Amino acid sequence: MLTGGEGSTTWFTSDLHLGHPLVSGIRGFGEDEAGVARHDATLLGNLREALQEGDHLWILGDISSGWEPQEEAALDKIQAALKADDMPRVYLHLVSGNHDSTHPLHTHAYLRQPRFLEVFDSVQSMQNLLWEGHTVWLNHFPRPGQDHIPGGSRHDELRLDVPWMLHGHLHSPTPITGAGQVDVGVDPWGLKPVVKEELMETLMASGRG
């Protein structure tokens, strides 16, 4: 049963891109092996520092570049950092992104599910939560029509057009990406996870979804 103890906290993050030289370089760590190692250690260290006994962490996709060796290394790093013997028991949930082989946009995603479940307590392509009477959807992607690259929006058929949403994918400079929509990725949050209560405040301040 995935329940934390009294006083447990729920955290959100996205787009770790562990082992991904291009993203490590964009984030200022450099694209060489040492820079990527610092990048990964910083993100995982921030997660370890935040999480306490019984906490839940939702990662909204893209743990790596999706290239199999990098993905396997990312899974190993997450398990070593967050499921280590010296860590309190925490619950890890993944909402898969386009760079995760377990997302159903990939033909053989079902074959990767068991591997991801060795690390995560749950894996899904989207999820909804009830916050202050609002149904808030979790998805890797923002609403249709938004993307972080030129040339149009990708995977719009997999996106949700809903009033309230938390997402990743955009690597946004600031958290609010639209009315009722907030990017929980590490980029707009100082490379750290964000706690549910702060996200609720930010989401409600974004305007009516």
Side-chain angles (χ1 to χ4, degrees), residues 62 97-99 103-106 139-149 152-160 169:
D62 287 5
N98 56 297
H99 287 289
H103 194 289
L105 71 86
H106 301 291
N139 195 2
H140 175 68
F141 302 104
R143 294 187 186 113
Q146 291 183 275
D147 219 320
H148 63 297
I149 61 169
S153 181
R154 300 170 298 164
H155 310 302
D156 273 7
E157 71 280 5
L158 303 171
R159 302 181 184 218
L160 298 171
H169 188 66

Side-chain angles (χ1 to χ4, degrees), residues 55-68:
D55 285 359
H56 289 252
L57 172 67
W58 288 87
I59 300 178
L60 304 192
D62 287 5
I63 65 168
S64 74
S65 69
W67 181 46
E68 185 174 357

Side-chain angles (χ1 to χ4, degrees), residues 190-202:
L191 304 182
K192 297 179 179 180
V194 57
V195 70
K196 172 185 175 181
E197 288 73 18
E198 185 173 359
L199 272 179
M200 288 175 61
E201 184 178 341
T202 304

